[in-house]
Amino acid sequence: MNNPVQQPVLRLPESAVPDGCRPWDGAQAAHWAGTLPPVWTLAHLRMRLVFVGTCFGVVVAFCLTTLADPKPFVAALLPLQILWLFRRPEVVRVSAPVLVVVLLMQRPGLPWVWSGPAVLLLVATWAAAAVRLHARGRQRERALAAAGGVTAAVPGAGRRLERGAFLIGLGGVLAVLGAVLVATSGLWRSADDRVAAVTVGCFVAGLGVTALVSGVLGRRRAAALGRAPAPVLRVLVRDDAAADTEVFAADDVGALRPLFTVSLLDMGDDEDDEDDDEGDVGEEELEALLKGLDTDVPGPLREAVLYGAPYDGAEVVVVSAVEEAGDPPLVERSTGPVRPLPEGTARRRIARGKAKAGREARRQAGYEERRAAAVLAAVRDGGGPARRWSAGWLDRITVVAVVLWGCYALAGESGAWRYVLGAGLGLLGVCLLPGHLAWRITADAAGLWFRRLGRSRHIAWDHIRVVECKGTELRADSCRAGFEEWSVSGPRWPWLERKFGLIHPYERVAAEIHAMWQDPALRPTAESDGPERGRGLWPLAVGIGVAWAVALALLP
């Protein structure tokens, strides 16, 4: 059996470790991981799958309103039940039995062909939530056993608590919006539109209640963590490519088995310190930080102390080592709940990371020769007049495909719903399509100019932070806080590029600009004028909006 590759571990000063704090070793961590709920409880789905599942539930709910005529609030609560199972099983424990009773009471007017499967779904979600909540208790017990009764005061317990504030505010807004939709449903002319308005209003209000419950629970658990000394464990942590923190057993120096992930925030980031001065942060430190945010490579392993018993949905505080010698340990608290990783999920996570790194290495090796050709073009055209890069055939094909999709989405719609959906799609088109259809980057002696809806925005050569083509996205950003990141996306098929030796247009643009950025001799020596940089895109946006409004009003 191969020995795990030991990674360098950043050491935590012993002064930051509470007296008697035990390491959470591999055996104890495996014992804790054995309490995780089974796969069928759907407790470990990633956020995009949660979103897909909720959207599927919404489609099913609207089909029910058309075919079975249930109460609108019942049709709205069924997809919310799926969301609650994924993210708030505490609610399912109460909502599932209530909905079962409501469906049975509707039985005379609701055929069994619809109410029967709905009842079975609710029973299944209640069982899954009950199993998951029971597993939480076992996880907490085993974490407490691993800590051996050792507790310590939580760092920063007296600071102002921001946990849950955003969700509580968002939930309040959504709840009010949903109530308004329900209250104004009588203004619609057709009965179908009134039922749809009530259903949508109940669903939006349900989303608001979900956010409120999440914010309140997170805030209560975070506050409870700081009221009394909390159990402590020594662990290893590292930042993953998604900016979350992975937690490992104290002896897992090969980072082979992440136990759980949690989103953390430096406690120093949310303090109201009037003496802070942004100028105190050196440009080198800022550049290093921003560069770290741009990479997909996980951070180094760090020794850490975990405050709080970890379980599914728990709140924790982490004190960890830092990269700079002599700096104080990093104190962070959770901004989201603990998310345990089952054995299979952890293996797939590690395998995906290795496979992604391998694919990226092979892709970069394949692009290197093609980028060299782009650099030669920059050398050949270096100096002299300003250079421009603009939208091409690939961008136009993308815009046409999006417009056709919008027309297809409206096909067959009638009544007020046609205009509500059409207005939403039109607003998205006005905001997004001009930038894809007529984007332009101009390089001159002063730097880069980017065409936007309003006036062109500028980055001086010395202020460029990144210019790269990453996947399907071409993006550029500045070290200056006042510049909003510029980006444009388009379709991409890497296997076609490898097979036929092609280079994506965005790759060529990024390679040429990067060459100019790194070598001043390749930059244009002339200044660009307004027509070269391109006027604002707002006239094009207005034209798209007017054309869409006319088509929405006149076409059948």
Side-chain angles (χ1 to χ4, degrees):
M1 182 176 179
N2 295 330
N3 293 325
V5 178
Q6 294 201 358
Q7 301 184 10
V9 179
L10 301 177
R11 300 298 176 185
L12 183 67
E14 288 298 324
S15 59
V17 181
D19 294 336
C21 181
R22 295 183 176 184
W24 199 13
D25 60 34
Q28 294 170 328
H31 191 54
W32 176 86
T35 64
L36 300 184
V39 176
W40 61 267
T41 61
L42 305 178
H44 312 291
L45 291 182
R46 286 181 288 179
M47 194 59 204
R48 69 167 179 266
L49 296 179
V50 173
F51 177 76
V52 171
T54 305
C55 290
F56 176 75
V58 171
V59 173
V60 172
F62 275 92
C63 291
L64 281 177
T65 59
T66 303
L67 301 174
D69 194 27
K71 296 294 183 182
F73 76 91
V74 174
L77 289 178
L78 286 176
L80 287 171
Q81 188 77 8
I82 299 176
L83 176 63
W84 294 336
L85 174 63
F86 293 150
R87 285 295 180 256
R88 288 271 70 93
E90 304 92 339
V91 178
V92 176
R93 186 167 50 184
V94 178
S95 64
V98 171
L99 279 176
V100 168
V101 172
V102 171
L103 283 173
L104 293 178
M105 291 177 63
Q106 277 197 276
R107 173 67 186 89
L110 193 62
W112 271 113
V113 68
W114 301 112
S115 61
V119 170
L120 291 177
L121 173 64
L122 291 170
V123 171
T125 57
W126 181 88
V131 171
R132 184 175 172 185
L133 292 174
H134 177 68
R136 283 185 177 182
R138 298 175 62 199
Q139 293 164 29
R140 188 174 186 277
E141 291 175 0
R142 296 193 178 180
L144 291 173
V150 179
T151 61
V154 178
R159 295 178 181 176
R160 187 180 63 182
L161 188 63
E162 296 289 345
R163 177 72 172 101
F166 172 76
L167 287 176
I168 292 173
L170 176 63
V173 171
L174 290 176
V176 171
L177 178 59
V180 170
L181 289 175
V182 173
T184 58
S185 61
L187 300 178
W188 299 96
R189 292 185 177 180
S190 70
D192 290 341
D193 289 339
R194 288 194 293 271
V195 172
V198 174
T199 305
V200 172
C202 291
F203 181 74
V204 172
L207 290 177
V209 172
T210 304
L212 279 169
V213 171
S214 298
V216 170
L217 283 177
R219 193 176 187 86
R220 287 184 59 188
R221 290 170 180 168
L225 179 63
R227 288 197 192 104
V232 288
L233 288 166
R234 298 191 70 162
V235 294
L236 297 178
V237 299
R238 75 174 180 186
D239 298 329
D240 66 8
D244 287 334
T245 298
E246 297 175 323
V247 178
F248 301 84
D251 54 359
D252 188 6
V253 294
L256 301 178
R257 172 60 169 98
L259 300 171
F260 62 86
T261 62
V262 62
S263 298
L264 299 176
L265 176 68
D266 184 357
M267 283 194 178
D269 287 349
D270 57 354
E271 291 184 278
D272 290 330
D273 188 357
E274 297 181 357
D275 295 332
D276 285 348
D277 184 4
E278 293 184 0
D280 292 340
V281 181
E283 291 188 3
E284 294 182 0
E285 288 82 355
L286 179 60
E287 184 176 353
L289 174 62
L290 294 175
K291 185 177 180 181
L293 295 175
D294 290 330
T295 181
D296 289 333
V297 180
L301 278 174
R302 298 172 283 136
E303 288 186 344
V305 174
L306 182 69
Y307 289 80
Y311 60 88
D312 180 20
E315 302 288 330
V316 294
V317 170
V318 177
V319 178
S320 60
V322 294
E323 296 188 42
E324 295 294 333
D327 285 353
L330 183 64
V331 182
E332 299 172 296
R333 63 182 171 199
S334 54
T335 60
V338 166
R339 297 294 180 198
L341 297 173
E343 181 69 31
T345 303
R347 283 199 305 268
R348 289 191 294 271
R349 187 184 182 94
I350 297 296
R352 281 197 304 269
K354 293 180 178 178
K356 183 177 181 180
R359 288 195 304 269
E360 187 64 23
R362 291 191 298 271
R363 180 178 298 176
Q364 292 302 323
Y367 287 149
E368 200 59 42
E369 182 178 349
R370 282 168 268 170
R371 284 176 178 164
V375 172
L376 288 177
V379 173
R380 182 181 62 250
D381 299 332
R387 295 199 60 197
R388 291 185 301 172
W389 301 267
S390 57
W393 60 271
L394 191 62
D395 303 282
R396 298 187 183 97
I397 289 176
T398 303
V399 170
V400 170
V402 170
V403 171
L404 291 177
W405 175 85
C407 295
Y408 174 77
L410 284 179
E413 297 291 345
S414 60
W417 180 246
R418 166 189 171 93
Y419 295 102
V420 172
L421 180 60
L425 293 176
L427 181 61
L428 287 175
V430 167
C431 295
L432 300 179
L433 293 186
H436 284 77
L437 189 61
W439 65 265
R440 181 184 297 180
I441 305 176
T442 304
D444 63 9
L448 301 177
W449 296 86
F450 299 87
R451 195 179 186 188
R452 293 183 182 267
L453 282 177
R455 62 184 180 86
S456 298
R457 299 301 301 274
H458 175 251
I459 305 180
W461 290 110
D462 293 338
H463 297 161
I464 295 176
R465 178 170 72 85
V466 61
V467 175
E468 66 175 0
C469 178
K470 193 173 185 179
T472 61
E473 182 185 42
L474 172 64
R475 70 188 189 102
D477 201 0
S478 170
C479 297
R480 299 294 182 180
F483 184 88
E484 182 181 354
E485 181 180 278
W486 180 94
S487 66
V488 65
S489 300
R492 187 168 192 174
W493 296 273
W495 65 273
L496 281 177
E497 297 174 27
R498 292 192 299 268
K499 184 176 180 63
F500 297 102
L502 303 175
I503 181 170
H504 195 277
Y506 293 173
E507 285 282 354
R508 181 175 288 107
V509 172
E512 294 182 7
I513 295 177
H514 193 273
M516 295 180 183
W517 175 27
Q518 298 300 319
D519 187 355
L522 304 179
R523 302 172 188 171
T525 56
E527 296 281 351
S528 61
D529 54 18
E532 286 182 306
R533 300 170 191 168
R535 306 299 182 186
L537 294 172
W538 64 267
L540 180 59
V542 171
I544 291 175
V546 171
W548 182 258
V550 170
L552 191 64
L554 299 182
L555 294 180

